[in-house]
Amino acid sequence: MDNIVDKVTNEDYKYGFTTDIETEVIPKGLNEDIIRLISKKKNEPEWLLEFRLEAFRHWQTLTVPTWPHLSIPEIDFQDIYYYAAPKAEVEGSENKEIDPELLKTFDKLGIPLHEQKALAGMAVDAVMDSVSVKTTQQEALAELGIIFCSIGEAVQNYPELVRKYLGSVVSHTDNFYAALNSAVFSDGTFVYIPKGVRCPMELSTYFRINAKGSGQFERTLIVVDDDSYVSYLEGCSAPMRDENQLHAAIVELVAMEHSEIKYSTVQNWYPGDKDGKGGIYNFVTKRALCKGNGSKVSWTQVETGSAITWKYPSCVLLGDNSVGEFYSVAVTNNYQQADTGTKMIHIGKNTHSHIVSKGISAGHSQNSYRGLVKVVENASNARNYSQCDSLLLGDKCGAHTFPYMEVRNETAIVEHEATTSKISEDQVFYCNQRGIKTEDAIALIVGGYAKEVISKLPMEFAVEAKNLLSISLEGSVG
Amino acid sequence: MLLEIKNLHAIIKSNGKEILKGIDLSINAGEVHAIMGPNGSGKSTLSSVLAGNPSYEVTEGEVIFNGKNLLELSPEDRSHEGLFLSFQYPVEIPGVSMSNFMRAAINEHRKYKGLEPLSASDFLKLMREKQEYVELNNKLAGRSVNEGFSGGEKKRNEIFQMAMLEPKLSILDETDSGLDIDALRIVAGGVNKLKSSENASIVITHYQRLLDYIVPDFVHVLYKGKIVKSAGKELALELEKKGYDWIKKELGE
């Protein structure tokens, strides 16, 4: 394998451009005045300011977590802009005309925002830095009673709903970055699906970091009422910069009785260059509460970007007969580091969870799976099946598995399987002999390895994710 | 001449051991050549070296294939030029369907010839047509490459791929090993159907058995990295009867 892995270069990051647009930033640093200023900019009610301040006061008592299998350089939290708002609208325009530069940016990313050009069967909320630029298809969705808007807009228009659920799944006391996000969060997406509605299109949010020196702290809240369904997808990218930028988000999902949420992520933040310089720190808390009986949440993630990833999309299976699923492909190349996995907390009776994690490591990268399966005392007949596979390309990368199990009910059945494999020279030569060149052979083999997860993505993104996988690994073999 | 091998020497890269010690062989279109020889004589190494397996290094000699210097071509370009190797041990590629795999291969071949990729429906039609050569059924398209295939299915799958790619020169490396008589008949039947005056085959085998089905024009004996005897198909029968010892005696060993 050595001679295949010798040549390690870096494919150009396709989304590394910067948009030249006037951006309003508030002073760097973090203190109560900054938080008051953010809250004021967003014209927030008093309770939300209090929510932020309480989180901030708690955050000040915390220190950065050191348990992940990651080496994270010290972050100066006073050296970050916590609010950066591109001037989205053309000044003086009557019907809130969007700056053409912004439209161009999202066009370039493959996210057309003009209603007439909008992707069929899909509604998009486009977020740049701290603000939502535009949300498409809102009217069509509103006819079904579906709310799909930025969280800032939701605070203004649906304050009761937001107040009821914000922080109900991920409290500000959950962890260091959750506290930070709760103090300074800016735009993200709010979704509410009323009872008995099957959302007819994919809802999605595209997150873009643009401003230099800023962080992105979005917050997403999705509430799906009884007997309803939604499929939601998030994508993201950032310019290529030598500095590291922080992305610390919170995603909260609430699934009521017999409802289902399918949450898919294609994460493509700038991973840094081939020497490990620059890139996004992606420190994210994602959790779903399967609140109602028979509710179901599926997390599907394809992670190829970010210099460092620290995230564990989880399910709290509170309702009886509820189901949690986690399907993940995490790719690390060059000097990327990922510590990712899930938590499945079985509380209701007859709850099921299914975990499929596929790690792919190349270059000098480190890729860890960390997962917890917890079955509480009263959770009778809980079932879990976990499968964690690692694929190594070369001998300078690392793959690690940290499975935790806490089972307090003896009717539970918890299974864990793990494998580690390498792409063999024989497989590559076999493809070569049939006329397939090495780069394409690797893409084919990796695609086959990740198929079980990719197939869970909505159709059009499955293709994108497959391409992304091969681009991320391009140059990792020669 | 389709293939001309002159004084070919090759070593195993990892330990420097010389396996091929001066091979000379000429093959014309329309011919079937059998290469026989005892274990460890270098038969499989010869097929690996011709296909461009990176585990071996050519230290001397030259190979002209179809007017081109074969040794200068990458393994994939050797394939594009029409060289096909039916592997002794076909590898498994989990999760990659035969249709995806073959489509990638076919389209690379077409690209090399300056042709447009095949449409999905034309491709599937071609696949259905060719899988009949070796009596593989319609489930083949969806199965992962060689994963969970029986020994016989793996070899039939190799010949199926040969039928798809329509090579000028096919090298069948111990294609008969591990086959029962029915599978052997199917595999050989496939090879015979593909035979034409435009292409040629090298059949590497240990036993005469396969040569009852695929009748060679020439039989060569490879021993200690050299071709020590060449004759017509009767040589195979003689070897079957007498074993390899008489050859060793002839060589004065």
Side-chain angles (χ1 to χ4, degrees), chain B:
Chain B
M1 196 163 293
L2 184 62
L3 180 79
E4 187 161 27
I5 303 174
K6 286 184 202 158
N7 190 30
L8 183 66
H9 289 251
I11 59 169
I12 300 176
K13 247 184 213 168
S14 59
N15 61 15
K17 194 176 167 206
E18 187 173 58
I19 306 291
L20 302 184
K21 299 173 179 170
I23 304 264
D24 292 283
L25 182 65
S26 299
I27 296 179
N28 291 303
E31 294 175 350
V32 175
H33 290 245
I35 296 183
M36 303 183 75
N39 277 334
S41 58
K43 301 189 298 292
S44 284
T45 300
L46 177 61
S47 60
S48 292
V49 167
L50 291 177
N53 188 325
S55 306
Y56 300 92
E57 190 183 325
V58 172
T59 49
E60 214 184 319
E62 99 181 305
V63 181
I64 305 296
F65 177 57
N66 217 16
K68 290 198 170 145
N69 182 349
L70 185 78
L71 302 178
E72 276 180 356
L73 298 175
S74 65
E76 55 271 27
D77 279 347
R78 297 180 194 200
S79 169
H80 299 147
E81 284 289 334
L83 186 141
F84 181 89
L85 172 60
S86 167
F87 285 81
Q88 184 176 3
Y89 304 109
V91 295
E92 300 182 359
I93 310 180
V96 178
S97 68
M98 272 308 294
S99 56
N100 266 348
F101 178 71
M102 269 333 281
R103 209 172 160 197
I106 287 271
N107 284 336
E108 284 301 315
H109 277 250
R110 291 177 66 87
K111 199 162 112 190
Y112 191 76
K113 295 186 186 109
L115 298 170
E116 290 291 305
L118 220 49
S119 74
S121 62
D122 284 349
F123 171 77
L124 287 173
K125 218 172 105 191
L126 184 69
M127 222 175 137
R128 273 198 298 274
E129 183 192 316
K130 302 291 187 179
Q131 69 203 15
E132 281 173 20
Y133 277 71
V134 281
E135 299 175 29
L136 283 167
N137 63 24
N138 267 326
K139 286 186 189 138
L140 177 72
R143 292 176 74 182
S144 295
V145 178
N146 293 322
E147 197 185 32
F149 283 45
S150 69
E153 279 179 321
K154 280 185 185 170
K155 296 300 172 76
R156 279 151 71 189
N157 191 23
E158 293 293 289
I159 306 305
F160 159 71
Q161 294 175 48
M162 176 176 150
M164 290 291 283
L165 296 172
E166 299 182 330
K168 292 196 186 82
L169 177 69
S170 313
I171 305 169
L172 308 180
D173 187 7
E174 307 252 2
T175 297
D176 51 338
S177 67
L179 290 190
D180 61 37
I181 197 74
D182 292 326
L184 186 69
R185 203 174 284 141
I186 294 170
V187 163
V191 173
N192 287 330
K193 270 180 236 164
L194 294 167
K195 197 182 160 191
S196 81
S197 59
E198 308 288 309
N199 61 30
S201 314
I202 298 175
V203 181
I204 291 174
T205 182
H206 221 67
Y207 305 105
Q208 148 69 20
R209 192 176 69 150
L210 178 65
L211 304 179
D212 287 340
Y213 298 93
I214 304 171
V215 181
D217 301 297
F218 301 95
V219 176
H220 310 277
V221 177
L222 191 63
Y223 182 63
K224 289 189 174 170
K226 277 184 175 182
I227 289 179
V228 295
K229 199 171 179 66
S230 296
K233 64 181 174 200
E234 66 285 352
L235 178 57
L237 291 167
E238 204 172 348
L239 286 169
E240 179 80 356
K241 227 184 284 164
K242 301 190 193 164
Y244 289 101
D245 284 348
W246 67 278
I247 297 233
K248 291 180 192 169
K249 266 182 211 144
E250 263 193 21
L251 293 170
E253 287 188 9

Side-chain angles (χ1 to χ4, degrees), chain A residues 3-4 424-441 443-452 466, chain B residues 51-54 75-76 79-80 83-85 87 90-96 100-101 104-105 108-109 111 145-146 158 161 165:
Chain A
N3 51 338
I4 293 194
S424 75
E425 214 160 45
D426 288 346
Q427 285 173 322
V428 174
F429 180 63
Y430 190 79
C431 296
N432 289 158
Q433 210 302 304
R434 299 306 186 242
I436 301 166
K437 59 177 189 284
T438 300
E439 297 283 347
D440 296 344
L444 207 58
I445 296 165
V446 167
Y449 168 79
K451 187 159 90 177
E452 193 180 348
K466 248 180 142 169
Chain B
N53 188 325
E76 55 271 27
S79 169
H80 299 147
L83 186 141
F84 181 89
L85 172 60
F87 285 81
V91 295
E92 300 182 359
I93 310 180
V96 178
N100 266 348
F101 178 71
E108 284 301 315
H109 277 250
K111 199 162 112 190
V145 178
N146 293 322
E158 293 293 289
Q161 294 175 48
L165 296 172

Side-chain angles (χ1 to χ4, degrees), chain A residues 345-410:
Chain A
I345 317 290
H346 295 254
I347 299 171
K349 293 181 173 41
N350 307 315
T351 49
H352 286 205
S353 63
H354 191 77
I355 298 170
V356 177
S357 165
K358 303 260 181 181
I360 302 168
S361 347
H364 292 80
S365 69
Q366 293 292 329
N367 200 328
S368 303
Y369 168 81
R370 187 183 302 277
L372 169 68
V373 176
K374 185 171 175 175
V375 179
V376 306
E377 226 164 292
N378 294 322
S380 48
N381 300 316
R383 289 291 303 268
N384 161 267
Y385 176 73
S386 305
Q387 184 193 332
C388 303
D389 298 331
S390 308
L391 185 69
L392 299 165
L393 279 75
D395 52 12
K396 293 177 182 68
C397 51
H400 316 273
T401 305
F402 304 99
Y404 304 87
M405 284 177 214
E406 285 176 42
V407 180
R408 307 210 187 282
N409 183 301
E410 56 186 29

